Amino acid sequence: GGKWIAVKTTPEQIPVFVKAGSNLLQKPLFENTTNYPADKLEFHCYADKGLHTDTYYEDDGSNPNALASGKHELISITTRQKGKQYRIQIKSKGSAYDGKPENRDCNIYLYGFVKPRAVIVNGKALQSWVVNGKTIEVKDIKWDGKPLEIYLR
């Protein structure tokens, strides 16, 4: 904050600036809402000290009364740095809605985190994480909607 940054851009490459501590939920690229990948989630977490929580809303995309009728889901992602350890927690709150997947495939991209010795998902060491440049990629996590705990150690 408090700075001006001049960056050369082109229409093909426009930079996006993200505040430290932000946790963004995205979907893989899709052409239109009829091809909406409800069973796929991408979390993009940007390191910062302390505790950070962001919550996202999801419904079937067609019920105009989803919020009022409770047919929606709130997905929260919390990151916490304590010393050299990071904890990422993903939770779901809300009722079922038409088309809500029972399981989702999740990819998590971690920016600005120190390369860990281990990635632990719900108490089990994960072997399939990689460091790609300055990004830690934790891919193909199967999420059934129950709380998901990921530790970087």
Side-chain angles (χ1 to χ4, degrees):
K3 296 180 185 176
W4 285 92
I5 300 172
V7 178
K8 290 184 181 183
T9 64
T10 66
E12 295 80 25
Q13 195 170 33
I14 299 173
V16 176
F17 297 97
V18 180
K19 182 180 175 183
S22 296
N23 301 300
L24 306 178
L25 173 60
Q26 292 182 316
K27 293 288 186 172
L29 185 63
F30 60 96
E31 284 188 32
N32 57 51
T33 56
T34 58
N35 298 328
Y36 183 77
D39 63 340
K40 300 197 182 324
L41 297 173
E42 293 182 354
F43 295 98
H44 296 262
C45 304
Y46 297 82
D48 194 22
K49 294 178 181 173
L51 181 70
H52 302 275
T53 299
D54 293 286
T55 303
Y56 297 92
Y57 174 92
E58 181 128 331
D59 63 24
D60 68 1
S62 62
N63 179 353
N65 298 313
L67 183 61
S69 65
K71 294 189 177 197
H72 64 277
E73 175 182 31
L74 297 175
I75 298 171
S76 67
I77 181 164
T78 301
T79 55
R80 180 177 187 165
Q81 178 185 356
K82 194 172 185 182
K84 293 185 178 183
Q85 272 191 24
Y86 288 95
R87 182 185 78 186
I88 299 143
Q89 188 175 51
I90 301 171
K91 291 183 178 180
S92 170
K93 189 169 103 175
S95 64
Y97 56 85
D98 291 341
K100 179 181 174 185
E102 287 185 33
N103 295 293
R104 292 183 171 116
D105 295 323
C106 298
N107 292 334
I108 302 172
Y109 301 91
L110 308 164
Y111 307 93
F113 290 78
V114 174
K115 180 181 175 183
R117 289 178 280 120
V119 175
I120 297 153
V121 178
N122 284 349
K124 296 180 184 175
L126 189 67
Q127 304 301 320
S128 61
W129 59 279
V130 297
V131 176
N132 186 358
K134 294 182 179 181
T135 305
I136 300 167
E137 298 177 359
V138 182
K139 293 188 173 185
D140 301 320
I141 295 175
K142 305 298 182 205
W143 184 42
D144 61 5
K146 295 177 184 162
L148 187 62
E149 297 258 348
I150 301 160
Y151 289 91
L152 305 179
R153 294 189 174 148

